[in-house]
């Protein structure tokens, strides 16, 4: 429940031509903290050099006044990380910066390359030496090929070679780039702050810094920002590549006050809840969300069903998002102390519990146990998405198929495992219909097993480390 044991991808931010670029970037990262809690980093440019500060932990822990004295300049990029490829070390934290023949470049990446191993093997065969085990570094080496005449040409050509999910911000001494893969898996938005341009994973970052939302970067677009203004490249314009925007961004990942994929996240979640009430009605006394992920869907369920909305759980807000914790031990501890039921609210009541997902099921079962211990008369679980049956290869570190509860059990078995009176998942059609966009424009592979790209590296997030270790034997 509440994205139980789902590991996130990352959040990215960039700004060009602002006298407080590094400080604005830190604010942007605060707004994107929900996208990754393992590490945070900022790289700035003063038009001559790039400067980098990155640390493990939360944004508030990573930067102090001394940090900003090390980050001069009017342009910067930032990153908050959960490791979807590569382990949780400072070496693998981003932005990732290198010096090469044409100068310096830094990258911050949200997503996951599905052909990272193939590209890395090719680059190493031609003499490239890698300093990390993140797939994002593959981009840097492709951009740095000596045959390209400029950073800009290198970015365009590297984008053509990469496969999978990638929203990127890249910084050179005098350019800021924003890149979105041709399927548009991950969001990336353009904003304006006075005379400065801003890029961010979600519009909530613009709200915090009081920037104006301009538009979303288009799937397959490379936007270049320099002293002359904006320009765009569309290297895939002659190819027929279908959109595959991640529907789980709307269901769970993005902040409800963000607008992504041309929709308000909060309003989409409310519509998910309304549709859930239509598909799985039940007689009950109260509807309660699992905070905070189920809040908007529970509101929609309550409004559609007419059953009162109550707050049956209190969340400890100092724990963070349980699934982001990089170790199983850390996740288990957080699960135990994250939520507590309010006995006076649920005692003797028929309770509908609304949440976004059930992954392994252990957390969901523990919440049901808590509700019953608190005196709930009946527990009816409603999930604002279909059952998860497949892993994701595009930047969400879902468990393997063998660990996914719904991939290996019938609905009746899941109901018994959770110890609920009834169980209802939203249909695929109901979920996709909650957006205002064409349902064909979304990736729902974690629900269907149908992937929009060829999967080259069907491995775990440590795939590049396995390769490095095997080469040392």
């Amino acid at each position: 429940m509440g994205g139980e044991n789902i590991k996130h991808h990352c959040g990215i931010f960039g700004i060009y031509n602002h006298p407080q670029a590094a400080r604005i970037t830190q604010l942007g990262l605060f707004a994107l903290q929900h996208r990754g809690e393992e590490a945070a980093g900022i790289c700035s440019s003063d038009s001559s050099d790039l400067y980098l500060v990155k640390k493990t932990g939360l944004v508030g822990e990573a930067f102090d006044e001394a940090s900003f004295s090390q980050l001069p300049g009017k342009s910067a990029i930032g990153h908050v990380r959960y490791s979807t490829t590569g382990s949780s070390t400072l070496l693998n934290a981003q932005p990732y910066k290198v010096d090469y023949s044409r100068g310096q470049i830094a990258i911050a990446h949200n997503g996951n390359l599905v052909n990272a191993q193939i590209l890395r093997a090719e680059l190493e065969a031609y003499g490239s030496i890698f300093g990390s085990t993140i797939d994002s570094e593959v981009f840097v080496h492709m951009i740095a090929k000596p045959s390209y005449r400029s950073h800009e040409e290198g970015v365009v050509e590297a984008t053509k070679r990469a496969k999978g999910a990638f929203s990127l911000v890249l910084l050179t001494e005098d350019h800021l780039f924003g890149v979105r893969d041709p399927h548009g898996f991950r969001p990336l938005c353009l904003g304006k702050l006075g005379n400065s341009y801003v890029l961010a994973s979600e519009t909530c970052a613009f709200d915090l810094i009081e920037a104006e939302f301009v538009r979303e970067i288009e799937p397959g677009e490379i936007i270049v920002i320099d002293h002359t203004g904006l320009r765009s490249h569309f290297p895939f314009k002659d190819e027929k590549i279908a959109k595959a925007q991640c529907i789980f961004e709307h269901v769970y990942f993005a902040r409800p006050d963000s607008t992504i994929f041309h929709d308000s996240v909060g309003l989409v979640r409310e519509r998910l809840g309304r549709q859930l009430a239509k598909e799985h009605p039940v007689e009950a006394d109260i509807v309660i969300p699992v905070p905070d992920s189920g809040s908007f869907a529970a509101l929609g369920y309550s409004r559609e069903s007419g059953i009162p909305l109550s707050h049956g759980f209190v969340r400890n807000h100092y724990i963070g998002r349980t699934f982001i914790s990089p170790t199983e031990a850390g996740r288990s501890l957080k699960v135990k102390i994250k939520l507590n039921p309010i006995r006076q609210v649920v005692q003797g009541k028929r309770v509908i519990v609304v949440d976004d997902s059930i992954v392994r099921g252990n957390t969901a079962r523990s919440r049901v146990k808590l509700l019953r211990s608190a005196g709930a008369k009946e527990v009816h679980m409603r999930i604002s998405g279909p059952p998860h049956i497949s892993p994701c290869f595009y930047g969400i570190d879902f468990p393997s198929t063998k660990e996914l509860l719904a991939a290996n059990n019938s609905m009746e078995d899941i109901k018994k495992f959770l110890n609920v009176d009834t169980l209802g998942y939203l249909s695929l059609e109901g979920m996709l219909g909650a957006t205002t966009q064409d349902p064909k424009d979304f990736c729902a592979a974690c629900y269907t097993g149908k992937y929009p790209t060829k999967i080259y590296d069907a491995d775990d997030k440590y795939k590049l480390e396995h390769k490095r270790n095997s080469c040392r034997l």
Side-chain angles (χ1 to χ4, degrees):
M1 298 165 72
E4 166 233 349
N5 290 334
I6 306 167
K7 305 165 194 169
H8 217 302
H9 33 110
C10 304
I12 57 177
F13 185 91
I15 187 166
Y16 184 87
N17 188 37
H18 194 284
Q20 299 292 323
R23 292 182 183 274
I24 294 293
T25 299
Q26 184 199 28
L27 290 175
L29 295 182
F30 269 122
L32 299 172
Q33 184 73 85
H34 61 288
R35 299 184 72 88
E37 294 185 356
E38 283 189 18
I42 296 175
C43 182
S44 69
S45 170
D46 64 0
S47 299
S48 298
D49 287 296
L50 299 189
Y51 306 86
L52 178 64
V53 173
K54 56 184 179 179
K55 296 179 183 178
T56 56
L58 302 176
V59 174
E61 301 166 345
F63 309 105
D64 54 20
E65 285 304 310
S67 302
F68 294 113
S69 68
Q70 301 172 51
L71 292 167
K74 292 186 176 182
S75 298
I77 62 172
H79 189 269
V80 288
R81 182 174 195 254
Y82 179 82
S83 54
T84 54
T85 301
S87 61
S88 307
T89 66
L90 187 58
L91 177 67
N92 286 335
Q94 295 187 38
Y96 192 83
K97 180 180 80 75
V98 297
D99 295 1
Y100 71 112
S101 60
R102 287 189 296 278
Q104 298 173 300
I105 191 166
I107 185 172
H109 174 200
N110 173 204
N112 207 36
L113 301 186
V114 296
N115 64 337
Q117 286 179 297
I118 294 171
L119 292 173
R120 179 161 172 164
E122 176 186 308
L123 289 161
E124 288 178 329
Y126 284 94
S128 292
I129 299 173
F130 283 74
S132 75
T133 58
I134 54 174
D135 57 348
S136 312
E137 190 184 355
V138 171
F139 269 104
V140 175
H141 284 272
M142 289 194 293
I143 292 166
K145 284 185 176 180
S147 56
Y148 302 141
R149 293 165 293 181
S150 65
H151 294 303
E152 191 167 335
E153 182 182 358
V155 171
V156 172
E157 294 304 315
T159 301
K160 292 179 182 179
R161 295 292 313 281
K163 304 293 183 185
F166 51 93
S167 286
L168 313 171
V169 288
L170 302 105
L171 186 67
T172 69
E173 295 91 338
D174 48 15
H175 289 80
L176 173 65
F177 297 89
V179 182
R180 197 167 169 215
D181 71 75
H183 294 282
F185 283 102
R186 301 285 154 226
L188 186 61
C189 305
L190 174 68
K192 196 85 186 312
L193 179 61
N195 295 321
S196 306
Y197 285 104
V198 190
L199 296 166
S201 294
E202 297 182 34
T203 60
C204 63
F206 298 160
D207 296 337
L208 180 60
I209 64 172
E210 299 184 340
E212 174 192 359
F213 171 66
V214 176
R215 64 177 178 88
E216 295 189 18
I217 306 304
E218 293 297 318
E221 180 181 6
I222 300 169
I223 192 166
V224 186
I225 305 172
D226 62 14
H227 71 280
T228 65
L230 296 177
R231 60 182 175 275
S232 292
H233 298 272
F234 294 91
F236 306 98
K237 64 180 179 180
D238 296 326
E239 302 179 39
K240 293 183 178 179
I241 301 176
K243 288 183 180 180
Q245 300 165 146
C246 174
I247 190 62
F248 207 52
E249 289 275 359
H250 274 310
V251 174
Y252 176 70
F253 281 143
R255 259 177 49 166
D257 52 334
S258 287
T259 296
I260 61 166
F261 307 149
H262 308 288
D263 260 318
S264 161
V265 175
L267 292 182
V268 168
R269 289 180 186 165
E270 184 179 339
R271 292 195 291 268
L272 291 171
R274 285 185 176 274
Q275 182 62 26
L276 186 59
K278 293 176 183 177
E279 294 184 13
H280 296 285
V282 65
E283 291 186 6
D285 301 306
I286 57 173
V287 177
I288 67 170
V290 173
D292 293 316
S293 56
S295 297
F296 280 80
L299 176 63
Y301 194 104
S302 172
R303 286 178 171 174
E304 185 65 33
S305 66
I307 300 171
L309 179 70
S310 294
H311 295 286
F313 282 114
V314 171
R315 177 187 167 193
N316 186 333
H317 284 85
Y318 301 95
I319 300 304
R321 300 181 102 182
T322 304
F323 74 89
I324 298 180
S325 182
T327 66
E328 186 63 41
R331 282 195 300 270
S332 298
L333 179 60
K334 287 183 178 182
V335 164
K336 293 178 181 178
I337 58 179
K338 184 175 181 180
L339 295 179
N340 193 46
I342 304 174
R343 179 177 295 273
Q344 293 81 357
V345 172
V346 303
Q347 191 170 32
K349 301 289 179 60
R350 298 170 297 174
V351 179
I352 298 171
V353 184
V354 179
D355 203 6
D356 62 274
S357 58
I358 301 172
V359 185
R360 291 183 176 91
N362 295 321
T363 303
R365 184 165 69 165
S366 72
R367 300 305 177 223
V368 174
K369 183 178 179 181
L370 283 173
L371 287 171
R372 294 200 182 278
S373 297
K377 183 179 178 181
E378 297 176 4
V379 179
H380 305 274
M381 186 166 291
R382 297 294 181 265
I383 304 301
S384 61
H388 284 285
I389 62 170
S390 301
C392 174
F393 298 100
Y394 305 116
I396 304 171
D397 198 13
F398 276 115
S400 63
T401 302
K402 65 182 180 181
E403 296 176 274
L404 292 169
L405 183 66
N408 302 284
N409 295 277
S410 67
M411 287 298 105
E412 186 60 30
D413 288 339
I414 297 172
K415 175 185 165 185
K416 290 179 181 177
F417 175 78
L418 298 175
N419 189 27
V420 292
D421 293 276
T422 66
L423 171 66
Y425 286 90
L426 186 61
S427 67
L428 180 67
E429 296 76 19
M431 176 185 65
L432 295 173
T435 77
T436 65
Q437 307 302 300
D438 189 330
K440 296 194 296 293
D441 289 346
F442 289 93
C443 174
C446 55
Y447 302 112
T448 66
K450 298 177 181 178
Y451 297 97
T453 71
K454 181 178 178 181
I455 304 301
Y456 299 86
D457 299 339
D459 204 340
D460 62 23
K461 71 172 183 171
Y462 303 108
K463 55 195 174 189
L464 298 180
E465 290 174 359
H466 295 329
K467 179 181 183 301
R468 170 183 278 187
N469 292 336
S470 66
C471 290
R472 290 173 175 168
L473 297 179

